[in-house]
Amino acid sequence: RRFLREARVTANLCASNTVHLYDFGIDEQNGTYYYVMELLQGTNVGDFVRRFGPMVAERVTMMLCQACHSLAEAHDAGLVHRDIKPDNLFISKLGIERDVLKVLDFGIVKETAVEDGRSGNKDGEGPAGTPGYMAPEVIYDSEDVDGRTDLYSLGCVAYFMLTAKKVFDAEPLKVMQQHLN
């Protein structure tokens, strides 16, 4: 169910900085889930920073703007990504353009409620995301999860891109407590 939801959501997004999904389904012969997405050449932000170290501020700013373009479309469509982290931001090359950032992995996307623009975090799953990049309202399991959640996570990614360090670096429960406080 989660796979099909992720595929449907991603297929409906068309921002140039969101990975493009062309087809998805379940193989009738063996029941394997599949999707066909654009071929990206490059690496994710996490691997890039671990390999080459911190990035210069101008480059980080350019890439964050691209991530914001993708997230703006998702937020306008009433979707909250909830797992923005370095490994879900991909630095690619498209034709002669370099440093084209693509947002990946809408696997735990949350649809916001139409009446107030908030999604809630009450889906029976508890907090969703990666502890080092989770917004406090996600950790707190609040119903106030909205686009600001992704912006908080993107701020944590920016810190990582600029310093090659996480905002908080400890075991997951401690990191979540540090984000809360």
Side-chain angles (χ1 to χ4, degrees):
R1 190 175 63 190
R2 181 178 279 178
F3 170 84
L4 292 175
R5 182 178 68 172
E6 174 188 2
R8 278 190 204 99
V9 165
T10 306
N12 286 324
L13 298 173
C14 59
S16 61
N17 297 107
T18 302
V19 66
H20 293 125
L21 189 64
Y22 302 118
D23 191 19
F24 63 91
I26 303 171
D27 183 284
E28 293 177 11
Q29 292 181 335
N30 61 18
T32 302
Y33 296 96
Y34 71 89
Y35 56 74
V36 180
M37 60 181 247
E38 68 182 305
L39 176 63
L40 299 175
Q41 297 175 345
T43 188
N44 67 57
V45 167
D47 288 343
F48 183 91
V49 171
R50 285 186 283 276
R51 183 170 178 199
F52 299 109
M55 301 167 92
V56 298
E58 294 80 11
R59 190 176 192 190
V60 171
T61 300
M62 182 206 36
M63 289 188 188
L64 293 175
C65 286
Q66 293 178 65
C68 285
H69 287 132
S70 173
L71 293 174
E73 179 192 27
H75 296 163
D76 284 349
L79 304 170
V80 182
H81 188 286
R82 294 196 305 170
D83 200 20
I84 296 298
K85 61 184 178 181
D87 292 350
N88 285 341
L89 301 177
F90 197 88
I91 305 167
S92 63
K93 178 184 175 204
L94 289 176
I96 61 169
E97 288 185 71
R98 296 186 181 276
D99 285 349
V100 175
L101 189 117
K102 294 281 190 166
V103 176
L104 312 174
D105 192 0
F106 285 79
I108 59 174
V109 70
K110 190 71 167 179
E111 295 184 53
T112 58
V114 176
E115 62 275 3
D116 66 2
R118 294 174 187 261
S119 68
N121 202 33
K122 306 289 185 189
D123 55 9
E125 300 171 3
T130 303
Y133 303 92
M134 275 185 178
E137 63 271 17
V138 173
I139 297 165
Y140 195 64
D141 204 22
S142 167
E143 293 188 22
D144 293 330
V145 174
D146 59 24
R148 296 171 294 180
T149 300
D150 290 338
L151 296 181
Y152 180 92
S153 299
L154 193 59
C156 293
V157 172
Y159 182 88
F160 176 77
M161 293 169 81
L162 292 165
T163 66
K165 297 176 186 171
K166 295 179 182 175
V167 174
F168 302 113
D169 196 13
E171 53 96 2
L173 289 177
K174 178 82 171 162
V175 167
M176 289 166 57
Q177 189 66 39
Q178 291 170 320
H179 278 289
L180 284 172
N181 296 313

